[in-house]
Amino acid sequence: MSVGSRSLLWPRLLLAGGATLLVMGGLLFALVQFLPGRSPPASPPAPLARVAPERPTPTPVRAPAPLPPAPEDGVRPPIDNGSAPPKQGAAPATLDVPQPKKAPEPKRAVPEPPPPKKKAPEAEPAPKPAPGDFQVGDTFYQEVVVGRASSYNSLAGNFQQNTRYAIVSRFEVLKKNADGSLVARQKVEGVRLANTDRALQAQLNALLQKTKGATFTVELDAKRKVVRFAGPREAIDVFAGGNPLGGQSFLLWSFLDPDAWKELAQLSFFRPQKPLKKGETWSVPMTHSWGPLGSWTGKSVFVHAGKQAALERFQYALQLAHRPPAGGGGGLPFAVGKSEFRIQTAGGTIAYDARKGRVATFEERFHVRGQVGVAALGVTTAIAMDEVQVFQVRILDRDPWKE
């Protein structure tokens, strides 16, 4: 390169360097203008007295106005909440509302729960009475049908009588003791004379009607044995005017004596003392007063005969011996002398309903033969006597004559 050309280059370089410096200075000046300025340092603040901090008062927040209904074009107009609309492209301003700080609530003393109450022991339900375990107020009806065939033979002639009658009684339990013993009442509700000779029909019917309405008190021990039987005694004034040698007086005397009532009640309350097997036996002592004709003493022997038609069957035999009367006629219009009787057949059968714990039916047959000496009008006569009595009894819940 020549010297002339070099002299022309330097001015150009200087001019370019100055322009560059000028541009950089302008850029620096502009940059300084846009930077935030610093404020002069303020004087230090005076110390302030300590004041207890106050709880900030919450700034009420105005509830937003309800939205206007949407126009038909579906574009909802902007909401005017009193503030300037945000600039386009700027981020929406957030409302920073200071929330008051809740003071911690003091811990409340929680009371201890009361101890659970002890439940009172529930009373055990009363046990249901066993079948046949009678309670106060229990009732049942007893229907007795009596058939009696008698024959009397003496030097004065022969006399026969066939009588049939029925009696219905109502039993009610009045008292039950702690040991199981009972007190019951028996009341005769109705009587019927079914069959007899015309010559004695009026007398027998009059005697039978006297029993209607009669009331008896029956006391039984825990084993259902009758220990006391009280009630009106059967009148015997119908004997007046009768012919003892014809046998009429004997017939009327044994119509239904007190011991007969008692024995019928005893069988009506019958209950086996324990579960028995077929063939097992037991016995109970027995006595029966026969009035002026003496008495019977011995025992009743029972045997379990098995089950038939859903009923337990028990058979019993009356093993009795006759005792002659102590003397006299016991109010009869004649004197009773030496007498002797023997049992031909005495016993019966009981049908026991174990489900009810009560007798359903029973039947007894009593057949005796013997002779008795009768003194009347200064004449003593020996009378041969043959008598058969049959008792058929039903135990029912209702009066069978009113159904």
Side-chain angles (χ1 to χ4, degrees):
M1 180 178 295
S2 64
V3 176
S5 62
R6 289 181 179 177
S7 62
L8 293 177
L9 181 61
W10 280 105
R12 293 179 182 178
L13 293 174
L14 291 175
L15 182 59
T20 302
L21 291 175
L22 182 61
V23 172
M24 293 181 62
L27 292 175
L28 179 62
F29 177 79
L31 182 61
V32 171
Q33 292 296 325
F34 282 97
L35 290 176
R38 293 184 178 177
S39 58
S43 59
L48 298 178
R50 293 186 178 180
V51 181
E54 297 183 357
R55 293 184 180 179
T57 303
T59 304
V61 180
R62 186 175 61 183
L67 297 175
E72 296 179 355
D73 56 359
V75 179
R76 195 179 297 274
I79 301 173
D80 185 9
N81 56 4
S83 60
K87 294 182 180 180
Q88 188 174 2
T94 58
L95 183 61
D96 190 8
V97 180
Q99 298 294 331
K101 295 182 179 181
K102 294 183 178 180
E105 295 182 0
K107 294 184 180 181
R108 297 180 181 178
V110 180
E112 295 183 0
K117 294 182 180 180
K118 294 182 179 180
K119 293 183 179 180
E122 297 181 358
E124 295 183 0
K128 294 182 179 180
D133 189 8
F134 288 105
Q135 304 297 317
V136 174
D138 288 350
T139 61
F140 65 85
Y141 287 83
Q142 175 202 71
E143 180 191 53
V144 182
V145 179
V146 182
R148 180 174 179 182
S150 305
S151 64
Y152 307 92
N153 299 319
S154 67
L155 295 177
N158 301 329
F159 180 83
Q160 294 182 352
Q161 178 65 38
N162 191 355
T163 306
R164 186 178 177 86
Y165 52 92
I167 302 173
V168 169
S169 298
R170 180 179 184 270
F171 283 79
E172 180 181 2
V173 178
L174 303 179
K175 183 180 179 181
K176 182 179 180 181
N177 300 313
D179 61 352
S181 57
L182 302 174
V183 178
R185 177 176 58 205
Q186 177 185 0
K187 182 180 179 181
V188 178
E189 299 287 343
V191 294
R192 291 177 182 175
L193 182 60
N195 180 44
T196 189
D197 289 344
R198 292 183 179 180
L200 297 176
Q201 185 174 2
Q203 287 179 304
L204 288 176
N205 189 57
L207 177 61
L208 186 61
Q209 293 301 322
K210 288 182 179 181
T211 64
K212 186 175 181 179
T215 302
F216 306 91
T217 300
V218 187
E219 296 184 13
L220 304 102
D221 62 14
K223 294 183 178 181
R224 299 285 178 81
K225 179 184 177 181
V226 177
V227 294
R228 183 174 177 270
F229 189 91
R233 296 183 63 86
E234 184 179 314
I236 58 175
D237 54 356
V238 294
F239 293 133
N243 180 8
L245 300 181
Q248 178 180 344
S249 297
F250 296 119
L251 174 65
L252 295 179
W253 152 248
S254 58
F255 188 75
L256 265 184
D257 57 79
D259 276 4
W261 288 105
K262 176 182 175 182
E263 290 165 16
L264 291 175
Q266 177 72 75
L267 291 172
S268 298
F269 279 98
F270 168 85
R271 182 179 67 179
Q273 298 303 309
K274 60 179 180 178
L276 300 173
K277 296 181 180 179
K278 184 177 179 180
E280 288 191 52
T281 63
W282 76 97
S283 64
V284 293
M286 177 182 176
T287 59
H288 183 99
S289 174
W290 220 19
L293 298 181
S295 62
W296 298 91
T297 303
K299 61 182 179 180
S300 300
V301 181
F302 294 84
V303 60
H304 187 202
K307 194 172 184 178
Q308 182 179 353
L311 299 175
E312 301 289 341
R313 299 283 175 171
F314 297 90
Q315 295 178 349
Y316 64 95
L318 304 178
Q319 298 179 0
L320 305 174
H322 177 258
R323 289 186 177 182
L332 296 176
F334 53 86
V336 178
K338 183 179 179 181
S339 60
E340 181 180 0
F341 293 93
R342 293 182 181 277
I343 289 179
Q344 304 302 307
T345 303
T349 302
I350 301 172
Y352 183 81
D353 190 342
R355 295 170 298 179
K356 291 185 176 181
R358 193 181 67 189
V359 170
T361 62
F362 66 87
E363 180 175 332
E364 179 177 306
R365 184 180 181 88
F366 186 76
H367 181 195
V368 297
R369 287 176 181 171
Q371 64 179 11
V372 59
V374 178
L377 304 176
V379 179
T380 300
T381 304
I383 299 176
M385 179 177 171
D386 189 308
E387 182 164 312
V388 178
Q389 296 182 11
V390 178
F391 299 88
Q392 296 174 320
V393 181
R394 293 193 302 164
I395 305 300
L396 307 163
D397 294 326
R398 299 180 181 179
D399 188 339
W401 294 2
K402 293 183 179 180
E403 293 181 350

